[in-house]
Amino acid sequence: MRKNNWMKMMAMVALVGLVGCSSGGTSSSPSESNGASPAAESDEMVTITTARPVGSDYVFVDGEDINNNVHNKWAKEKLGIDIKHLWTTADTDSYHTKLRLSLATNDQLPDVFIVQDENLIADLMQSGKVKDISVDYDKYASERIKKLYTDNQTSLNQVKKDDQLLGLPVLSSGDGTNPVLWLRQDWMEKLNLKEPKTIEDFEAIMDAFTNQDPDGNGKKDTFGFSLSGRNGYSNWMSDVSFVFGAYTGNAIPMHWYEAEDGSLKYGSVQPGAKKGLGKLQEWYKKGYLDAEFAALDETKATESFIQSKSGMIAAPAWAFGWPLGDTKKTDPNAKLRAYALPTGPDGKSARYTGFVNERKVIMFKKDFKHMDAFFNYFDKIYDYSFGTGDFKDGFFEGYDYVMVDGKPEYDAKKFPNPSEKAPTPRKYNLFWNEPGIPFQESKDWEYLSNGGEPKTRFQIQSAGSDKERQRAGALNIAMKDTNSPSLFNGSPTETMRSKSESLKTMELEAYAKIIYGKESIDSFDTFVADWKSKGGDQIEKEVNEWYKNINK
């Protein structure tokens, strides 16, 4: 598939000088090999304004706040950057409201700011008030930064307009919300059940958990599988996308996938979705599913598993700690184990996968003049994820680690002036959290699970975690071929902005009625026809116009 000229240029630049650069935490310090910008060598102080929400998840040591803290001091003393906040809010919704108001009233935008609202991103891109950073990226971004975006270049689609680059996606772990299958292993052992490798195996375990009294209390008060349907059926928690993926191999609800003809199709209205719905309808009738699933959001749906009412749930690897770790509060003998998601009758499989930037972008005011300083700062912040430079061991000694006998320690109880909540220096930077290297953490979990000796900061921090947590993290690598991210990650199209909410409501109602048995499985065909005629076909046309344009 052809790429546009800007993408070709970016890829060529990223290939220059990559010998010795690794995304596994072994690359050289930026000052040695990554082309630090001239701003790093200058004594001139530059000011960068920003804004952000500062909620209860921000924790500071006494005497510090968002304007005066260890990070801002480091940026000023080490990089010559004075970070100033034009304003702050108490939460993200208020932040986006204020940002939108600034755009509408011609108030001053910050020099550098985060946006997570898709419609606001689209409005900013059309406003003429944000900076095209294409030339700056080429000139100032370090080699390892360019390689990250070359490796994850589809993430740039969200901020591309023709040949302009109107911001940067803030990369995350890439598969941090991908589900694995968590089971009550103590129930499995009691009932002498085997690993669920197929949908047929999965169904047999649900039947046993529903009908064979796995908790041994003499009551028929358990069921097979916890799931959420309130916001959809492809979820970051309490997921059920894999049931649909077992019959399609690529199409899951609410995600756009590439069909054989190269066009994008909406997974919720494809024939394979009908098979998945039919299976869920069958399971609901047999009592295998949470009776109230359609009213439960992703977190609320975990409660039946935590309360030992159900024995299976599809959730991220890290859910072993929260929220599923609370299962032991209701049953101290509970034993959790992670498994790969089951495959379909033909060996097909697909699962929910989020965006590598979790729909989070950083944008720049049009007349911002210090992109060289920004890209130098950006590379330095990435020392944390790469395990190099100033942040090789952590962000700031005494805040998120301490040195004991020449080695970093991450136990907060050993920090100076330990308190109930440890400081959160990773949140003080311009990205609101540390930017990630997509899929690297899963590789680290696999390395640890296979008995590797911890070497990098993340490996050292994670080595002491429960072996089951390590196994769960490694499963993301084993299931990487089942990842099914939505291939539409651009700004909402014109029809999406006017019709998507009503179409989503229609979809949720149709799916719930079918699974509950209030409508026959054949009513799916009526839903598909309605979806198409009431805006879906036009949205599909617009999505494919976008897809064709970005792949010129």
Side-chain angles (χ1 to χ4, degrees):
M1 190 172 287
R2 295 177 298 159
K3 301 294 180 184
N4 63 30
N5 292 335
W6 185 89
M7 191 66 74
K8 288 179 180 177
M9 178 182 70
M10 188 190 79
M12 289 175 67
V13 171
L15 290 173
V16 177
L18 285 180
V19 176
C21 183
S22 164
S23 63
T26 59
S27 63
S28 301
S29 168
S31 61
E32 297 171 354
S33 68
N34 282 311
S37 74
E41 308 297 331
S42 174
D43 292 330
E44 178 185 357
M45 183 71 64
V46 301
T47 297
I48 294 180
T49 62
T50 191
R52 76 173 71 212
V54 181
S56 59
D57 53 335
Y58 280 74
V59 181
F60 301 96
V61 301
D62 290 343
E64 293 189 358
D65 56 34
I66 196 57
N67 292 300
N68 301 290
N69 56 65
V70 64
H71 164 268
N72 289 15
K73 181 180 179 182
W74 164 83
K76 182 180 288 188
E77 294 180 354
K78 193 69 178 277
L79 305 181
I81 298 174
D82 187 11
I83 297 174
K84 294 184 178 297
H85 286 77
L86 296 183
W87 44 266
T88 62
T89 62
D91 57 65
T92 305
D93 287 343
S94 299
Y95 167 82
H96 284 118
T97 298
K98 188 168 179 62
L99 200 57
R100 183 175 289 283
L101 186 62
S102 297
L103 181 64
T105 60
N106 291 319
D107 283 352
Q108 180 184 3
L109 287 172
D111 292 329
V112 180
F113 54 98
I114 293 290
V115 195
Q116 292 177 296
D117 181 299
E118 294 179 6
N119 289 326
L120 181 54
I121 291 171
D123 290 341
L124 285 160
M125 290 175 67
Q126 296 295 329
S127 71
K129 295 181 180 180
V130 294
K131 188 178 184 70
D132 173 14
I133 65 167
S134 301
V135 174
D136 298 304
Y137 177 93
D138 178 39
K139 186 175 181 180
Y140 298 121
S142 68
E143 292 159 8
R144 66 181 181 182
I145 294 295
K146 288 173 180 171
K147 186 177 188 302
L148 280 172
Y149 285 106
T150 297
D151 290 346
N152 300 278
Q153 59 186 246
T154 58
S155 67
L156 294 164
N157 294 339
Q158 191 176 7
V159 285
K160 284 171 57 181
K161 180 185 176 186
D162 301 321
D163 284 334
Q164 293 182 311
L165 184 64
L166 297 175
L168 284 172
V170 180
L171 299 176
S172 64
S173 62
D175 56 2
T177 53
N178 287 25
V180 299
L181 185 62
W182 287 102
L183 276 81
R184 283 292 298 268
Q185 185 64 20
D186 51 320
W187 291 7
M188 293 280 286
E189 292 170 359
K190 178 182 178 181
L191 301 178
N192 196 29
L193 299 171
K194 296 180 180 180
E195 174 182 357
K197 294 183 178 181
T198 67
I199 284 291
E200 188 177 57
D201 298 336
F202 179 74
E203 184 172 341
I205 292 173
M206 282 195 296
D207 184 82
F209 284 177
T210 304
N211 297 311
Q212 295 184 29
D213 191 24
D215 60 357
N217 67 356
K219 301 177 182 178
K220 195 175 186 303
D221 58 355
T222 57
F223 59 93
F225 181 62
S226 296
L227 73 156
S228 167
R230 180 174 178 177
N231 297 314
Y233 295 84
S234 296
N235 295 318
W236 64 276
M237 182 77 76
S238 310
D239 178 59
V240 72
S241 65
F242 66 94
V243 174
F244 297 89
Y247 296 96
T248 66
N250 51 14
I252 60 175
M254 292 188 175
H255 278 212
W256 293 86
Y257 73 102
E258 188 172 270
E260 290 183 2
D261 64 1
S263 66
L264 294 189
K265 300 291 185 182
Y266 188 59
S268 300
V269 297
Q270 302 309 309
K274 185 176 182 179
K275 293 182 180 179
L277 280 172
K279 184 57 71 174
L280 289 169
Q281 183 187 68
E282 176 187 329
W283 292 344
Y284 184 82
K285 185 177 181 180
K286 292 179 177 179
Y288 296 167
L289 308 180
D290 195 317
E292 305 298 327
F293 74 87
L296 304 176
D297 66 22
E298 294 87 336
T299 304
K300 188 72 174 176
T302 66
E303 292 182 2
S304 56
F305 184 90
I306 294 168
Q307 294 166 2
S308 298
K309 297 301 181 183
S310 84
M312 289 192 285
I313 190 169
W318 47 260
F320 179 77
W322 177 91
L324 305 186
D326 286 346
T327 305
K328 284 187 172 292
K329 293 181 180 179
T330 59
D331 184 352
N333 297 316
K335 186 192 301 184
L336 307 188
R337 188 168 179 84
Y339 291 91
L341 295 164
T343 60
D346 299 322
K348 294 177 179 178
S349 185
R351 62 173 177 159
Y352 168 84
T353 302
F355 295 104
V356 294
N357 67 316
E358 298 177 357
R359 308 297 270 176
K360 180 181 182 181
V361 304
I362 192 162
M363 305 183 91
F364 308 87
K365 188 171 64 172
K366 187 172 185 177
D367 61 358
F368 178 54
K369 302 183 186 306
H370 301 297
M371 292 302 301
D372 55 343
F374 168 80
F375 275 112
N376 184 51
Y377 169 89
F378 192 18
D379 186 85
K380 295 289 188 181
I381 291 295
Y382 252 110
D383 274 340
Y384 182 83
S385 294
F386 278 100
T388 55
D390 287 353
F391 305 136
K392 176 174 65 70
D393 298 316
F395 272 119
F396 298 102
E397 185 175 358
Y399 287 74
D400 56 349
Y401 75 100
V402 291
M403 298 301 292
V404 178
D405 297 328
K407 296 182 179 180
E409 285 274 358
Y410 301 99
D411 183 354
K413 295 177 181 178
K414 297 180 180 179
F415 294 177
N417 304 312
S419 58
E420 185 176 341
K421 289 186 176 182
T424 54
R426 70 185 187 282
K427 300 185 70 65
Y428 305 165
N429 62 59
L430 291 174
F431 310 98
W432 302 359
N433 220 321
E434 75 275 11
I437 302 172
F439 313 110
Q440 181 58 45
E441 288 186 7
S442 290
K443 293 176 185 176
D444 286 337
W445 285 117
E446 181 185 46
Y447 175 80
L448 292 173
S449 181
N450 290 334
E453 180 183 353
K455 298 175 182 177
T456 68
R457 176 197 53 78
F458 182 82
Q459 292 169 2
I460 293 170
Q461 282 183 288
S462 305
S465 60
D466 192 283
K467 295 299 181 183
E468 196 53 46
R469 169 65 181 93
Q470 295 179 22
R471 278 190 66 261
L475 283 173
N476 273 333
I477 297 297
M479 292 192 290
K480 64 181 180 180
D481 291 339
T482 71
N483 293 350
S484 299
S486 182
L487 296 184
F488 176 75
N489 63 342
S491 299
T493 70
E494 181 180 354
T495 307
M496 277 182 179
R497 297 186 73 159
S498 61
K499 301 285 188 179
S500 62
E501 284 304 313
S502 61
L503 290 175
K504 180 179 179 180
T505 299
M506 180 195 303
E507 177 180 332
L508 293 177
E509 290 178 353
Y511 272 45
K513 286 179 179 178
I514 290 171
I515 297 171
Y516 280 144
K518 294 180 179 179
E519 298 281 356
S520 74
I521 187 61
D522 289 333
S523 69
F524 175 80
D525 302 327
T526 303
F527 153 67
V528 171
D530 286 346
W531 184 89
K532 288 175 172 290
S533 66
K534 294 180 179 179
D537 273 346
Q538 181 60 30
I539 288 175
E540 183 178 313
K541 179 181 177 182
E542 293 168 357
V543 164
N544 278 287
E545 287 173 351
W546 167 86
Y547 198 52
K548 183 178 179 180
N549 183 55
I550 64 161
N551 288 302
K552 285 180 179 178

